[in-house]
Structures are given as C-alpha cells and as structure tokens.
Amino acid sequence: MGGMSGPYLIRGSVSLPEAELTWRFSRSSGPGGQHVNTSDSQVELRFDLARTEALPPVWKERALQRLSGRLVDGVVTVRASEHRSQWRNREAAAVRLAALLAEATAPPPRPRKATRVPRGINERRLREKKQRSETKRGRTGRDWG
C-alpha cells in the first residue's frame, strides 16, 4: 500500500507504529452521492496500547492511565467518517490517534508554586474597600429630610 503520508509523529522521535495499526472500513453515514452506498468510506483505526512496544514504558503507563475510560481490552479506537473519500478518512483517523496519544503521554504539568500576596496590594485593596463603604454610607438618605 503506497503513498500513506509517512509516519505519524506522536512526540519527539516517537511515531505511530504502522505495523501495530489495525484498520477497518465500513459504510459511512452522512454525505455522499450515488457512489455512497457501495463504498466503505468510514474508517476505524485500532491501536493496541496495552501490548505495544513502540512507546517508552513511562509514556505507555501514562497513556493507559489517562485513556482508561476509552480503552477496550487495552485497545484504543478512533473513527473517522467526515470525508467522502476513504483515503481522507484514513488520514483523519491516523492524525486523530497521534494527537490523542500525544496528549495522553504528555508529562504532567509542573505543580504550582505558591507565592505570597505583596503587602502593598493587600493594603490598597482594604483602602479601596473602606472608601467604597464610605461612598455607600453617604448614599443613605438619613440627613436629607
């Protein structure tokens, strides 16, 4: 099968292992013409995350944890049926899977470092608060009568 647009990079030098991808094609719902009922343009791409050797162990652990809700027996599935051509749907599915894995294997964000609020800012806030309350107190119509 020629012309598949190269390895789909996940991150760095790690890419989707072509050999471990399972493709399934079926008739797509949605737009189409006279040809639509005879062509299998919906694409289902499966990737066995639990058994793959293509990902670094740390990434694999992370991905299995983060995608646990999407996995069926350790296999992640991506569907694409938005294009009329099977070719473009294959591209879309592969890109989507790569993006999904990139997100799932990303390192956790750095913990937030707590900093103190500068004294000046706090004092200014209290000053403005007092001012506000004075303004509002001046609005009560006690001494107008």
Side-chain angles (χ1 to χ4, degrees):
M1 175 185 69
M4 194 73 181
S5 67
Y8 291 92
L9 280 183
I10 298 175
R11 214 174 49 252
S13 58
V14 182
S15 58
L16 282 179
E18 204 65 59
E20 295 182 28
L21 301 179
T22 320
W23 299 90
R24 269 181 56 198
F25 308 102
S26 55
R27 291 189 185 147
S28 179
S29 63
Q34 295 154 323
H35 185 55
V36 73
N37 296 327
T38 56
S39 62
D40 293 341
S41 62
Q42 174 170 290
V43 173
E44 191 180 277
L45 174 57
R46 300 163 144 245
F47 175 60
D48 195 338
L49 187 56
R51 293 196 189 82
T52 186
E53 296 296 315
L55 298 179
V58 184
W59 287 23
K60 191 164 140 180
E61 245 350 270
R62 228 181 262 156
L64 284 169
Q65 215 170 350
R66 293 195 187 156
L67 298 175
S68 59
R70 284 194 61 151
L71 298 175
V72 180
D73 297 332
V75 177
V76 65
T77 307
V78 176
R79 270 197 197 84
S81 60
E82 60 268 25
H83 301 294
R84 279 180 57 176
S85 89
Q86 185 191 99
W87 192 247
R88 292 191 30 215
N89 280 332
R90 291 177 74 140
E91 292 285 299
V95 167
R96 211 172 289 164
L97 180 63
L100 185 73
L101 288 175
E103 201 175 313
T105 57
R110 287 220 177 96
R112 181 181 170 276
K113 206 160 114 192
T115 56
R116 260 185 54 219
V117 179
R119 205 171 82 211
I121 288 181
N122 223 351
E123 285 174 358
R124 191 178 71 201
R125 180 180 62 87
L126 293 174
R127 230 188 358 262
E128 286 169 1
K129 215 170 146 171
K130 209 166 269 172
Q131 188 98 44
R132 191 91 191 103
S133 82
E134 285 302 315
T135 308
K136 287 189 171 187
R137 259 183 54 207
R139 288 184 191 152
T140 54
R142 273 188 313 226
D143 26 284
W144 283 8

